[in-house]
Amino acid sequence: MQARTYRRIAWGAVALTFCVVVLGAWVRLSHAGLGCPDWPGCYGQLTWPTAASEIDAANKAFPERPVEVDKAWREMLHRYLAGGVLLAAYFLAVAAFWRRRSDPTQPLALPVAIALLVTLQALFGMWTVTWKLLPSIVTAHLLGGLATLALLTWLALGAERGAGERPGRRRWVWLGLGLLLVQIFLGGWTSSNYAALVCPDFPTCGGAWWPPMDPAEGFSLGREIGVDYSGGVLDYRARVAIHFAHRIGALVVAVYLSLLALGLWRWGWRRSAAALFLVLGAQLALGVANVVQQLPLGLATAHNAGAAALLLTIVVIARRMAPSHGPRAPL
């Protein structure tokens, strides 16, 4: 397989993964995460119940979770597209193996790592359903999807020559990526614990600049398996702690990435700086709008898409700053 064809397939996998990440957010935010109570099928079939007889049989088989067709098809659509990402990842790994047989310099580790990560993602998808939206699993599933997106992007960019920017400057970009990942975790934890609406005002929370909180309970990972976590189970103070941590994280990341964008501009990376400013500004505006507008589905989904776009922006900058090794940068 020619390198150009391989890269095109990799970029197709990036686009598909981005769609899966955004669709997963839409499914979660529309409370359709348990639209199918079993896995990998839906109420025991490959699609979802639509006929009256199928719905009646499904309701008898799963009396604790009656069929809601509008939620079931959303969940299954997400699973179908996620299956497409799995197939694409396996194809890229196998193709990398065959390319390496004819050219031992062709890298193999990253495609194989992506395939293994997507396999783990499939398990997280199963546990999300069978463990009834356990917050730690839901958050890990979100982080795994975004990690897959980032690694596929690095793979697709792999044949490009890096600029070989100074190591000190590259470290500032990697630090920004690390801070963003922490903030994405906080956002996923906020969503999976249904804490997004606990502070209905901005910039205060419940009219207070420092509201009463219970961080120990809010960030406890030791939750019981088997409990139905849809809608959340934490009390007010625990949810406030989660929400407030996400706000503080947003402030820290916004300040740091703004300074990073200014640094990029001074270093001559002006297109990258402009892209980072644009995506960061849009993401901040979406975050505030979600609080003020009380989390409408469209804005909430766009906020998740913005997080993915911000991650991609920094990954692309980091890749293009990396040094080249020989005629090709490593995949």
Side-chain angles (χ1 to χ4, degrees), residues 133-160:
L133 305 182
L134 181 67
S136 56
I137 294 297
V138 173
T139 304
H141 194 39
L142 168 66
L143 293 175
L146 290 170
T148 301
L149 180 64
L151 292 177
L152 280 170
T153 301
W154 194 278
L155 178 66
L157 289 168
E160 292 191 6

Side-chain angles (χ1 to χ4, degrees), residues 21-195:
V21 168
V22 176
L23 183 62
W26 180 63
V27 170
R28 183 177 68 256
L29 291 163
S30 61
H31 306 288
L34 292 180
C36 297
D38 50 340
W39 192 93
C42 187
Y43 290 95
Q45 57 187 66
L46 290 177
T47 57
W48 56 89
T50 53
S53 58
E54 294 175 340
I55 294 175
D56 183 61
N59 288 336
K60 291 179 179 178
F62 297 89
E64 75 286 355
R65 184 69 60 177
V67 175
E68 296 181 73
V69 176
D70 61 326
K71 294 182 178 182
W73 73 262
R74 298 179 194 189
E75 171 64 9
M76 287 307 293
L77 176 61
H78 179 238
R79 293 185 191 181
Y80 294 151
L81 293 182
V85 173
L86 182 65
L87 293 176
Y90 285 167
F91 179 86
L92 288 168
V94 172
F97 173 78
W98 286 107
R99 292 175 71 203
R100 192 179 181 89
R101 291 189 64 182
S102 58
D103 182 1
T105 65
Q106 293 296 325
L108 181 61
L110 182 55
V112 170
I114 292 171
L116 293 175
L117 176 59
V118 178
T119 302
L120 180 61
Q121 272 294 91
L123 293 175
F124 278 130
M126 176 185 68
W127 293 329
T128 295
V129 174
T130 58
W131 293 356
K132 300 179 181 180
L133 305 182
L134 181 67
S136 56
I137 294 297
V138 173
T139 304
H141 194 39
L142 168 66
L143 293 175
L146 290 170
T148 301
L149 180 64
L151 292 177
L152 280 170
T153 301
W154 194 278
L155 178 66
L157 289 168
E160 292 191 6
R161 289 180 179 274
E165 186 56 86
R166 299 177 192 173
R169 293 178 177 178
R170 296 202 308 271
R171 281 195 287 269
W172 289 115
V173 176
W174 283 107
L175 178 57
L177 180 60
L179 290 173
L180 177 61
L181 290 175
V182 173
Q183 177 62 3
I184 287 174
F185 162 77
L186 291 173
W189 196 245
T190 299
S191 179
S192 62
N193 283 281
Y194 299 86

Side-chain angles (χ1 to χ4, degrees), residues 286-302:
L286 285 168
V288 174
N290 270 296
V291 174
V292 174
Q293 299 294 325
Q294 294 294 287
L295 207 68
L297 181 59
L299 282 178
T301 304

